[in-house]
Amino acid sequence: MAGSIGSALMATPRVLAFDVFGTVVDWRSGIARDSSRFLAQISRSDIDSAAFADKWRGRYQPAMAEVRNSVRPFVVLDVLHREMLEGTLFEHGIDARAVDPVVLDDWSRAWHRLDPWPDAVIGLTRLKMRYPIVTLSNGNIALMLEIARRGRLPWDAILGAEVIRAYKPDAQAYLGTAAILDALPAELCLVAAHHSDLAAARRSGLLTAYVDRPMEYGGAAAPDRDQHQEWEWRADSLTDLADQLGCD
Amino acid sequence: MAGSIGSALMATPRVLAFDVFGTVVDWRSGIARDSSRFLAQISRSDIDSAAFADKWRGRYQPAMAEVRNSVRPFVVLDVLHREMLEGTLFEHGIDARAVDPVVLDDWSRAWHRLDPWPDAVIGLTRLKMRYPIVTLSNGNIALMLEIARRGRLPWDAILGAEVIRAYKPDAQAYLGTAAILDALPAELCLVAAHHSDLAAARRSGLLTAYVDRPMEYGGAAAPDRDQHQEWEWRADSLTDLADQLGCD
């Protein structure tokens, strides 16, 4: 059990809201697996699929920033993932317009085929016995739904960016989710593997639970490691979090 | 098994969207049960609690019509249920302002404490093995979430009026839900006990499945019985619908 000094004295959350990419599902392995197959289809197996996954994900924050900064109206993450794929291909000298659109569509939907970390389903199932568990992801509803059905993630509700029409770390993503749940911000706990996400949630008054996912970037350091704080809870897995929150 | 002539020839739905009040949960028994308790608390046990439930529900369509007709901006059903309760009390000569606000809040949340019809959980569980199952109710997310957790309804996602910010039978409630699911209207099947709801869904291009709930109004005729049509499916229960849709 990871350290959670004083957690017995903490306010108890009423609802748990989960980041999904990296926290509940392993995006890098899934994107690398599918990209390997598609890179072979376009005769570019010389490109390392894990590095390709990292490059694709690297376009995530800049793509959402355009929406957050009102450079463009809200569009769902499926649309951004497709554009980010085209940009990543371009970076590797591949013109997306020369690729079969059916292949491109299927490739960009690799994000729908991500698998949960090994502890996720049992951890969520235990947490759900005591707390409502909802998504608070930047992923759109259809994307979250497909990941959940594929991996049998037992969400009580799929909330997040599309419902609020704002991307994390905009305060509205956290505050709007609490409002929909008829909860005060302090009654909602964000569970996430990312310090940057937790820091924004805390600025909005939410409780915070950090889940360590050392393999999210294949063992490399997380880009937001300098935003570390003492979170209300710190767990090595969702089953560890269930232990700490007193869920059988 | 109820009649579903030709259903083997029908298009197969890709997603099932469910009306909830009356179709999945028995609102009349639940509202009568809780109202009986609250009427006793305010020393008005002389009022018949089932008739009180019918009067309260009778204010449902007029209340939503104000939003549908843009007389007022969108507000969630929890807010309308509270106002409808105050109106129903007034109709019985009771001034809501004279009632303890804590009692009124709890009473108006009787809609959060409705129980599923006996076939609902097993029927939904079977249907979920094959189809994504989502709510397409006018109830808000917090309300749907509490009903689902209380009754263990295994929804894949809670959609409907609050997500779309439009009340059924507005076309946008059906079309917007299909769009969120990345589905064509014809790939979405509305499952409902109400002909009026199904008729509107069909006008928007959805598939339709009628579930007969003869006790929804305590055995009295449904107010929308004249809107009956031949729906793609007609079932006596959600387990019957699972049989007809080939779900083990």
Side-chain angles (χ1 to χ4, degrees), chain B residues 104-157:
Chain B
L104 273 186
D105 280 347
D106 197 9
W107 196 344
S108 75
R109 291 170 68 87
W111 294 91
H112 290 233
R113 296 182 292 262
L114 303 178
D115 294 319
W117 295 107
D119 55 275
V121 173
I122 180 66
L124 290 174
T125 301
R126 288 175 55 199
L127 290 162
K128 182 176 181 170
M129 296 298 287
R130 188 156 171 177
Y131 302 97
I133 56 168
V134 305
T135 64
L136 205 180
S137 164
N138 281 332
N140 48 299
I141 293 169
L143 169 54
M144 287 291 112
L145 183 65
E146 204 164 332
I147 289 174
R149 283 186 62 86
R150 175 187 174 89
R152 297 185 173 268
L153 302 174
W155 303 122
D156 284 302

Side-chain angles (χ1 to χ4, degrees), chain B residues 188-240:
Chain B
L188 186 62
C189 180
L190 179 71
V191 181
H194 309 125
H195 299 302
S196 52
D197 195 3
L198 294 167
R202 175 172 276 180
R203 283 194 296 275
S204 289
L206 275 67
L207 294 169
T208 53
Y210 173 76
V211 183
D212 196 34
R213 295 297 190 193
M215 292 309 292
E216 178 176 2
Y217 300 95
D224 63 347
R225 61 192 176 283
D226 60 327
Q227 296 185 57
H228 173 264
Q229 300 178 32
E230 288 294 317
W231 309 113
E232 278 81 7
W233 292 272
R234 182 195 181 287
D236 289 327
S237 64
L238 294 179
T239 47
D240 181 16

Side-chain angles (χ1 to χ4, degrees), chain A residues 78 109 128-134 141-142 145 149 152 155-159 162-163 180-182, chain B residues 78 109 112 128-134 141-142 145 149 152 155-159 162-163 180-182:
Chain A
D78 272 344
R109 291 170 68 87
K128 182 176 179 169
M129 296 297 287
R130 187 155 171 178
Y131 302 98
I133 56 168
V134 305
I141 293 169
L145 183 65
R149 283 187 63 85
R152 298 185 173 269
W155 303 122
D156 283 302
I158 292 175
L159 303 180
E162 185 175 9
V163 178
I180 280 176
L181 291 164
D182 206 7
Chain B
D78 272 343
R109 291 170 68 87
H112 290 233
K128 182 176 181 170
M129 296 298 287
R130 188 156 171 177
Y131 302 97
I133 56 168
V134 305
I141 293 169
L145 183 65
R149 283 186 62 86
R152 297 185 173 268
W155 303 122
D156 284 302
I158 292 176
L159 303 180
E162 185 175 8
V163 177
I180 280 176
L181 291 164
D182 207 8

